[in-house]
Amino acid sequence: MDGRYPPGGALPSEPELVRTYDVSRPTVRKAIDTLVSEGLAYVMRGRGSFVRPMPERRTILITDRDRPDLAAPGNHPDVQAFGWDLAQRDHEVPLFTDEKTTANRDVAIMLSIRPGHQIIHRRSMWHRGHTAVIHGASARLEINSYTNADMLPDWDDPKRHAQYRKRPGFFYQSLMREHGPVRWMTLTTARIAYEDERTALGMDYAEAVLIIRRTMAHPNGHPIEVTEIKAPANRYEIGYHRELADEPEADFTPQELSDNGIDLVI
């Protein structure tokens, strides 16, 4: 913490630590494991232990302006405008899905429905093609959208479904037309990532995942649709439009987005 071992620098070897502190090798390994679990160090087999670099944090901006439908294929430009692209095609998990399925317990709680109720699940994975992977943590985002299927009874109609996929904003426009006026609620949290999240986001086991959950709801608070963005917590922080913008009632200019290190607007 005082900089004796700089970010990215090597820590003393196990034999050196044993001699310096006159302790056993198992004690040294336990100490290294503790540093790793606290996110202060990482181990490369055959090379040794190193101080974890502190990556530059970028900002995900929460706006009170027009909320983009980030999970809609037709709205990919709203994500691509910040330099993101769909993850590589050889990824184990599908890059984009939009399907009618049933709610598990967690989704049922989000939408205030019963487990097993039909929902529309839309999901996409994004990455920055020009960003290098640093110690297993790449610049990746996972976006999920969950909607009570009762809210869009025409989802199974082939023509309407094609419109939901092709027309930017059509999904949200339909929900707000049929169920508006709406209100928006945003909740942010962080926790240690699950194994599937670590794989999808390119994180190691000691890292936390940042979860931003934005809910479109009736005025009485009953959920209509929930969008959930997951990102590595050591690379992203949350900003609020009204607090960062020079003019709270105006949209950010491209230059302001760049100056504020903003990687996504939700």
Side-chain angles (χ1 to χ4, degrees), residues 37-72:
S37 68
E38 293 177 350
L40 298 174
Y42 66 98
V43 176
M44 298 184 70
R45 295 189 182 280
R47 294 186 57 188
S49 305
F50 300 84
V51 180
R52 178 178 296 281
M54 293 299 292
E56 176 189 1
R57 279 190 170 88
R58 305 283 291 178
T59 300
I60 297 176
L61 186 73
I62 297 177
T63 181
D64 56 0
R65 314 286 292 170
D66 291 335
R67 273 81 169 183
D69 181 9
L70 299 173

mmCIF file of all heavy atoms in Angstrom, residues 37-72:
data_model
loop_
_atom_site.group_PDB
_atom_site.id
_atom_site.type_symbol
_atom_site.label_atom_id
_atom_site.label_comp_id
_atom_site.label_asym_id
_atom_site.label_seq_id
_atom_site.Cartn_x
_atom_site.Cartn_y
_atom_site.Cartn_z
ATOM 1 N N SER A 37 -6.847 -13.071 -2.341
ATOM 2 C CA SER A 37 -8.278 -13.010 -2.031
ATOM 3 C C SER A 37 -8.744 -11.592 -1.764
ATOM 4 O O SER A 37 -9.919 -11.261 -1.972
ATOM 5 C CB SER A 37 -8.590 -13.897 -0.808
ATOM 6 O OG SER A 37 -8.009 -13.360 0.370
ATOM 7 N N GLU A 38 -7.830 -10.726 -1.308
ATOM 8 C CA GLU A 38 -8.169 -9.320 -1.076
ATOM 9 C C GLU A 38 -8.025 -8.476 -2.342
ATOM 10 O O GLU A 38 -8.251 -7.266 -2.311
ATOM 11 C CB GLU A 38 -7.286 -8.741 0.035
ATOM 12 C CG GLU A 38 -7.570 -9.350 1.406
ATOM 13 C CD GLU A 38 -6.638 -8.804 2.475
ATOM 14 O OE1 GLU A 38 -5.662 -8.095 2.124
ATOM 15 O OE2 GLU A 38 -6.874 -9.092 3.660
ATOM 16 N N GLY A 39 -7.638 -9.112 -3.450
ATOM 17 C CA GLY A 39 -7.512 -8.389 -4.708
ATOM 18 C C GLY A 39 -6.265 -7.546 -4.822
ATOM 19 O O GLY A 39 -6.194 -6.661 -5.676
ATOM 20 N N LEU A 40 -5.262 -7.806 -3.971
ATOM 21 C CA LEU A 40 -4.039 -6.999 -3.987
ATOM 22 C C LEU A 40 -2.925 -7.639 -4.800
ATOM 23 O O LEU A 40 -1.956 -6.960 -5.152
ATOM 24 C CB LEU A 40 -3.550 -6.766 -2.551
ATOM 25 C CG LEU A 40 -4.506 -5.994 -1.642
ATOM 26 C CD1 LEU A 40 -3.976 -5.957 -0.220
ATOM 27 C CD2 LEU A 40 -4.709 -4.578 -2.165
ATOM 28 N N ALA A 41 -3.025 -8.929 -5.083
ATOM 29 C CA ALA A 41 -1.966 -9.625 -5.804
ATOM 30 C C ALA A 41 -2.572 -10.702 -6.692
ATOM 31 O O ALA A 41 -3.744 -11.063 -6.542
ATOM 32 C CB ALA A 41 -0.969 -10.250 -4.828
ATOM 33 N N TYR A 42 -1.770 -11.198 -7.608
ATOM 34 C CA TYR A 42 -2.172 -12.338 -8.430
ATOM 35 C C TYR A 42 -0.954 -13.226 -8.630
ATOM 36 O O TYR A 42 0.191 -12.788 -8.481
ATOM 37 C CB TYR A 42 -2.762 -11.893 -9.768
ATOM 38 C CG TYR A 42 -1.790 -11.210 -10.690
ATOM 39 C CD1 TYR A 42 -1.149 -11.917 -11.718
ATOM 40 C CD2 TYR A 42 -1.507 -9.855 -10.551
ATOM 41 C CE1 TYR A 42 -0.251 -11.279 -12.559
ATOM 42 C CE2 TYR A 42 -0.618 -9.217 -11.397
ATOM 43 C CZ TYR A 42 0.009 -9.929 -12.397
ATOM 44 O OH TYR A 42 0.901 -9.307 -13.243
ATOM 45 N N VAL A 43 -1.190 -14.492 -8.927
ATOM 46 C CA VAL A 43 -0.122 -15.473 -9.060
ATOM 47 C C VAL A 43 -0.108 -16.005 -10.483
ATOM 48 O O VAL A 43 -1.153 -16.353 -11.037
ATOM 49 C CB VAL A 43 -0.308 -16.638 -8.069
ATOM 50 C CG1 VAL A 43 0.774 -17.702 -8.282
ATOM 51 C CG2 VAL A 43 -0.264 -16.125 -6.631
ATOM 52 N N MET A 44 1.073 -16.047 -11.079
ATOM 53 C CA MET A 44 1.268 -16.674 -12.382
ATOM 54 C C MET A 44 2.144 -17.898 -12.172
ATOM 55 O O MET A 44 3.302 -17.776 -11.745
ATOM 56 C CB MET A 44 1.918 -15.696 -13.368
ATOM 57 C CG MET A 44 1.068 -14.473 -13.645
ATOM 58 S SD MET A 44 1.788 -13.381 -14.907
ATOM 59 C CE MET A 44 1.581 -14.392 -16.367
ATOM 60 N N ARG A 45 1.566 -19.067 -12.412
ATOM 61 C CA ARG A 45 2.290 -20.316 -12.148
ATOM 62 C C ARG A 45 3.606 -20.351 -12.915
ATOM 63 O O ARG A 45 3.663 -20.080 -14.108
ATOM 64 C CB ARG A 45 1.429 -21.513 -12.526
ATOM 65 C CG ARG A 45 0.177 -21.646 -11.663
ATOM 66 C CD ARG A 45 -0.529 -22.966 -11.912
ATOM 67 N NE ARG A 45 -1.755 -23.066 -11.127
ATOM 68 C CZ ARG A 45 -1.800 -23.395 -9.854
ATOM 69 N NH1 ARG A 45 -0.670 -23.669 -9.210
ATOM 70 N NH2 ARG A 45 -2.954 -23.466 -9.214
ATOM 71 N N GLY A 46 4.675 -20.706 -12.188
ATOM 72 C CA GLY A 46 5.995 -20.802 -12.790
ATOM 73 C C GLY A 46 6.733 -19.484 -12.851
ATOM 74 O O GLY A 46 7.925 -19.468 -13.172
ATOM 75 N N ARG A 47 6.035 -18.371 -12.551
ATOM 76 C CA ARG A 47 6.679 -17.055 -12.636
ATOM 77 C C ARG A 47 6.713 -16.329 -11.300
ATOM 78 O O ARG A 47 7.611 -15.518 -11.056
ATOM 79 C CB ARG A 47 5.970 -16.181 -13.670
ATOM 80 C CG ARG A 47 6.117 -16.707 -15.097
ATOM 81 C CD ARG A 47 5.532 -15.721 -16.091
ATOM 82 N NE ARG A 47 6.162 -14.409 -15.972
ATOM 83 C CZ ARG A 47 5.723 -13.324 -16.618
ATOM 84 N NH1 ARG A 47 4.661 -13.407 -17.408
ATOM 85 N NH2 ARG A 47 6.345 -12.172 -16.478
ATOM 86 N N GLY A 48 5.732 -16.580 -10.440
ATOM 87 C CA GLY A 48 5.736 -15.941 -9.135
ATOM 88 C C GLY A 48 4.486 -15.138 -8.854
ATOM 89 O O GLY A 48 3.463 -15.279 -9.532
ATOM 90 N N SER A 49 4.585 -14.285 -7.828
ATOM 91 C CA SER A 49 3.459 -13.463 -7.387
ATOM 92 C C SER A 49 3.720 -12.005 -7.736
ATOM 93 O O SER A 49 4.860 -11.529 -7.642
ATOM 94 C CB SER A 49 3.257 -13.604 -5.870
ATOM 95 O OG SER A 49 3.105 -14.967 -5.507
ATOM 96 N N PHE A 50 2.644 -11.289 -8.094
ATOM 97 C CA PHE A 50 2.787 -9.923 -8.560
ATOM 98 C C PHE A 50 1.710 -9.035 -7.934
ATOM 99 O O PHE A 50 0.615 -9.499 -7.603
ATOM 100 C CB PHE A 50 2.659 -9.859 -10.090
ATOM 101 C CG PHE A 50 3.693 -10.669 -10.819
ATOM 102 C CD1 PHE A 50 3.506 -12.023 -11.024
ATOM 103 C CD2 PHE A 50 4.853 -10.069 -11.275
ATOM 104 C CE1 PHE A 50 4.466 -12.774 -11.687
ATOM 105 C CE2 PHE A 50 5.821 -10.811 -11.942
ATOM 106 C CZ PHE A 50 5.627 -12.170 -12.144
ATOM 107 N N VAL A 51 2.046 -7.755 -7.789
ATOM 108 C CA VAL A 51 1.073 -6.778 -7.302
ATOM 109 C C VAL A 51 0.059 -6.510 -8.407
ATOM 110 O O VAL A 51 0.444 -6.275 -9.563
ATOM 111 C CB VAL A 51 1.774 -5.460 -6.898
ATOM 112 C CG1 VAL A 51 0.741 -4.444 -6.377
ATOM 113 C CG2 VAL A 51 2.834 -5.733 -5.849
ATOM 114 N N ARG A 52 -1.212 -6.564 -8.060
ATOM 115 C CA ARG A 52 -2.246 -6.357 -9.073
ATOM 116 C C ARG A 52 -2.250 -4.890 -9.518
ATOM 117 O O ARG A 52 -2.306 -3.979 -8.693
ATOM 118 C CB ARG A 52 -3.628 -6.723 -8.525
ATOM 119 C CG ARG A 52 -4.757 -6.483 -9.528
ATOM 120 C CD ARG A 52 -6.094 -6.912 -8.970
ATOM 121 N NE ARG A 52 -6.131 -8.340 -8.734
ATOM 122 C CZ ARG A 52 -6.318 -9.253 -9.687
ATOM 123 N NH1 ARG A 52 -6.481 -8.865 -10.933
ATOM 124 N NH2 ARG A 52 -6.341 -10.521 -9.409
ATOM 125 N N PRO A 53 -2.195 -4.663 -10.832
ATOM 126 C CA PRO A 53 -2.307 -3.277 -11.317
ATOM 127 C C PRO A 53 -3.686 -2.711 -11.007
ATOM 128 O O PRO A 53 -4.661 -3.459 -10.898
ATOM 129 C CB PRO A 53 -2.098 -3.418 -12.831
ATOM 130 C CG PRO A 53 -1.473 -4.753 -13.023
ATOM 131 C CD PRO A 53 -1.982 -5.614 -11.912
ATOM 132 N N MET A 54 -3.764 -1.405 -10.877
ATOM 133 C CA MET A 54 -5.044 -0.743 -10.679
ATOM 134 C C MET A 54 -5.491 -0.186 -12.026
ATOM 135 O O MET A 54 -4.996 0.855 -12.469
ATOM 136 C CB MET A 54 -4.915 0.388 -9.654
ATOM 137 C CG MET A 54 -4.607 -0.107 -8.257
ATOM 138 S SD MET A 54 -5.914 -1.182 -7.602
ATOM 139 C CE MET A 54 -7.226 0.008 -7.422
ATOM 140 N N PRO A 55 -6.404 -0.880 -12.721
ATOM 141 C CA PRO A 55 -6.811 -0.401 -14.051
ATOM 142 C C PRO A 55 -7.585 0.902 -13.948
ATOM 143 O O PRO A 55 -8.219 1.209 -12.937
ATOM 144 C CB PRO A 55 -7.707 -1.534 -14.559
ATOM 145 C CG PRO A 55 -8.208 -2.212 -13.324
ATOM 146 C CD PRO A 55 -7.115 -2.093 -12.313
ATOM 147 N N GLU A 56 -7.504 1.663 -15.018
ATOM 148 C CA GLU A 56 -8.263 2.910 -15.086
ATOM 149 C C GLU A 56 -9.755 2.591 -15.103
ATOM 150 O O GLU A 56 -10.214 1.767 -15.887
ATOM 151 C CB GLU A 56 -7.895 3.682 -16.347
ATOM 152 C CG GLU A 56 -8.721 4.946 -16.546
ATOM 153 C CD GLU A 56 -8.503 5.576 -17.905
ATOM 154 O OE1 GLU A 56 -7.728 5.015 -18.687
ATOM 155 O OE2 GLU A 56 -9.118 6.609 -18.171
ATOM 156 N N ARG A 57 -10.494 3.210 -14.216
ATOM 157 C CA ARG A 57 -11.943 2.992 -14.196
ATOM 158 C C ARG A 57 -12.624 3.922 -15.187
ATOM 159 O O ARG A 57 -12.313 5.102 -15.260
ATOM 160 C CB ARG A 57 -12.508 3.229 -12.791
ATOM 161 C CG ARG A 57 -12.327 2.039 -11.863
ATOM 162 C CD ARG A 57 -13.123 2.240 -10.587
ATOM 163 N NE ARG A 57 -13.153 1.042 -9.787
ATOM 164 C CZ ARG A 57 -12.244 0.726 -8.875
ATOM 165 N NH1 ARG A 57 -11.233 1.543 -8.675
ATOM 166 N NH2 ARG A 57 -12.343 -0.385 -8.182
ATOM 167 N N ARG A 58 -13.549 3.359 -15.937
ATOM 168 C CA ARG A 58 -14.382 4.116 -16.850
ATOM 169 C C ARG A 58 -15.770 4.253 -16.231
ATOM 170 O O ARG A 58 -16.084 3.615 -15.224
ATOM 171 C CB ARG A 58 -14.454 3.423 -18.200
ATOM 172 C CG ARG A 58 -13.096 3.156 -18.827
ATOM 173 C CD ARG A 58 -12.491 4.389 -19.432
ATOM 174 N NE ARG A 58 -13.244 4.807 -20.604
ATOM 175 C CZ ARG A 58 -12.967 5.889 -21.324
ATOM 176 N NH1 ARG A 58 -11.947 6.672 -20.976
ATOM 177 N NH2 ARG A 58 -13.680 6.204 -22.396
ATOM 178 N N THR A 59 -16.613 5.097 -16.818
ATOM 179 C CA THR A 59 -17.903 5.421 -16.219
ATOM 180 C C THR A 59 -19.053 4.887 -17.060
ATOM 181 O O THR A 59 -19.040 4.988 -18.289
ATOM 182 C CB THR A 59 -18.062 6.947 -16.069
ATOM 183 O OG1 THR A 59 -17.027 7.442 -15.225
ATOM 184 C CG2 THR A 59 -19.411 7.303 -15.462
ATOM 185 N N ILE A 60 -20.032 4.298 -16.390
ATOM 186 C CA ILE A 60 -21.331 3.989 -16.987
ATOM 187 C C ILE A 60 -22.298 5.040 -16.457
ATOM 188 O O ILE A 60 -22.477 5.174 -15.251
ATOM 189 C CB ILE A 60 -21.793 2.569 -16.633
ATOM 190 C CG1 ILE A 60 -20.817 1.540 -17.215
ATOM 191 C CG2 ILE A 60 -23.207 2.319 -17.152
ATOM 192 C CD1 ILE A 60 -21.124 0.109 -16.834
ATOM 193 N N LEU A 61 -22.870 5.812 -17.374
ATOM 194 C CA LEU A 61 -23.682 6.968 -16.995
ATOM 195 C C LEU A 61 -25.155 6.586 -16.904
ATOM 196 O O LEU A 61 -25.721 6.024 -17.848
ATOM 197 C CB LEU A 61 -23.509 8.077 -18.029
ATOM 198 C CG LEU A 61 -24.190 9.417 -17.701
ATOM 199 C CD1 LEU A 61 -23.434 10.131 -16.600
ATOM 200 C CD2 LEU A 61 -24.267 10.294 -18.940
ATOM 201 N N ILE A 62 -25.774 6.902 -15.790
ATOM 202 C CA ILE A 62 -27.217 6.719 -15.618
ATOM 203 C C ILE A 62 -27.894 8.042 -15.957
ATOM 204 O O ILE A 62 -27.616 9.071 -15.336
ATOM 205 C CB ILE A 62 -27.551 6.285 -14.182
ATOM 206 C CG1 ILE A 62 -26.906 4.913 -13.898
ATOM 207 C CG2 ILE A 62 -29.061 6.208 -13.979
ATOM 208 C CD1 ILE A 62 -27.113 4.437 -12.478
ATOM 209 N N THR A 63 -28.742 8.019 -16.967
ATOM 210 C CA THR A 63 -29.357 9.248 -17.450
ATOM 211 C C THR A 63 -30.816 9.332 -17.024
ATOM 212 O O THR A 63 -31.461 8.324 -16.745
ATOM 213 C CB THR A 63 -29.271 9.313 -18.988
ATOM 214 O OG1 THR A 63 -29.850 10.545 -19.435
ATOM 215 C CG2 THR A 63 -30.030 8.167 -19.645
ATOM 216 N N ASP A 64 -31.312 10.544 -16.952
ATOM 217 C CA ASP A 64 -32.747 10.749 -16.761
ATOM 218 C C ASP A 64 -33.358 11.296 -18.045
ATOM 219 O O ASP A 64 -34.466 11.812 -18.049
ATOM 220 C CB ASP A 64 -33.027 11.689 -15.585
ATOM 221 C CG ASP A 64 -32.325 13.029 -15.742
ATOM 222 O OD1 ASP A 64 -31.628 13.225 -16.758
ATOM 223 O OD2 ASP A 64 -32.465 13.868 -14.839
ATOM 224 N N ARG A 65 -32.600 11.173 -19.142
ATOM 225 C CA ARG A 65 -33.089 11.572 -20.451
ATOM 226 C C ARG A 65 -33.767 10.368 -21.109
ATOM 227 O O ARG A 65 -34.301 9.512 -20.424
ATOM 228 C CB ARG A 65 -31.920 12.077 -21.303
ATOM 229 C CG ARG A 65 -30.991 13.049 -20.581
ATOM 230 C CD ARG A 65 -31.593 14.409 -20.416
ATOM 231 N NE ARG A 65 -31.738 15.067 -21.704
ATOM 232 C CZ ARG A 65 -32.411 16.191 -21.885
ATOM 233 N NH1 ARG A 65 -33.018 16.767 -20.871
ATOM 234 N NH2 ARG A 65 -32.489 16.736 -23.077
ATOM 235 N N ASP A 66 -33.724 10.261 -22.423
ATOM 236 C CA ASP A 66 -34.291 9.107 -23.105
ATOM 237 C C ASP A 66 -33.478 7.859 -22.776
ATOM 238 O O ASP A 66 -32.267 7.829 -22.972
ATOM 239 C CB ASP A 66 -34.293 9.329 -24.619
ATOM 240 C CG ASP A 66 -35.268 10.411 -25.036
ATOM 241 O OD1 ASP A 66 -36.241 10.647 -24.281
ATOM 242 O OD2 ASP A 66 -35.057 11.035 -26.090
ATOM 243 N N ARG A 67 -34.174 6.845 -22.255
ATOM 244 C CA ARG A 67 -33.479 5.607 -21.894
ATOM 245 C C ARG A 67 -33.391 4.689 -23.108
ATOM 246 O O ARG A 67 -34.417 4.278 -23.649
ATOM 247 C CB ARG A 67 -34.227 4.861 -20.786
ATOM 248 C CG ARG A 67 -33.865 5.277 -19.383
ATOM 249 C CD ARG A 67 -34.566 6.511 -18.935
ATOM 250 N NE ARG A 67 -34.391 6.747 -17.502
ATOM 251 C CZ ARG A 67 -34.964 7.733 -16.849
ATOM 252 N NH1 ARG A 67 -35.734 8.587 -17.504
ATOM 253 N NH2 ARG A 67 -34.775 7.880 -15.564
ATOM 254 N N PRO A 68 -32.193 4.361 -23.564
ATOM 255 C CA PRO A 68 -32.070 3.462 -24.715
ATOM 256 C C PRO A 68 -32.406 2.031 -24.333
ATOM 257 O O PRO A 68 -32.168 1.597 -23.198
ATOM 258 C CB PRO A 68 -30.591 3.597 -25.108
ATOM 259 C CG PRO A 68 -29.904 3.957 -23.834
ATOM 260 C CD PRO A 68 -30.880 4.818 -23.069
ATOM 261 N N ASP A 69 -32.985 1.296 -25.285
ATOM 262 C CA ASP A 69 -33.257 -0.120 -25.098
ATOM 263 C C ASP A 69 -31.992 -0.883 -25.468
ATOM 264 O O ASP A 69 -31.818 -1.311 -26.598
ATOM 265 C CB ASP A 69 -34.446 -0.548 -25.961
ATOM 266 C CG ASP A 69 -34.789 -2.017 -25.772
ATOM 267 O OD1 ASP A 69 -34.214 -2.647 -24.858
ATOM 268 O OD2 ASP A 69 -35.606 -2.534 -26.545
ATOM 269 N N LEU A 70 -31.098 -1.054 -24.510
ATOM 270 C CA LEU A 70 -29.769 -1.584 -24.791
ATOM 271 C C LEU A 70 -29.772 -3.035 -25.243
ATOM 272 O O LEU A 70 -28.816 -3.499 -25.866
ATOM 273 C CB LEU A 70 -28.889 -1.451 -23.536
ATOM 274 C CG LEU A 70 -28.665 -0.032 -23.044
ATOM 275 C CD1 LEU A 70 -27.929 -0.051 -21.721
ATOM 276 C CD2 LEU A 70 -27.905 0.790 -24.068
ATOM 277 N N ALA A 71 -30.841 -3.776 -24.949
ATOM 278 C CA ALA A 71 -30.890 -5.190 -25.314
ATOM 279 C C ALA A 71 -31.499 -5.430 -26.685
ATOM 280 O O ALA A 71 -31.539 -6.564 -27.147
ATOM 281 C CB ALA A 71 -31.686 -5.975 -24.260
ATOM 282 N N ALA A 72 -31.976 -4.382 -27.347
ATOM 283 C CA ALA A 72 -32.636 -4.553 -28.645
ATOM 284 C C ALA A 72 -31.609 -4.600 -29.771
ATOM 285 O O ALA A 72 -30.726 -3.752 -29.838
ATOM 286 C CB ALA A 72 -33.608 -3.400 -28.895
#
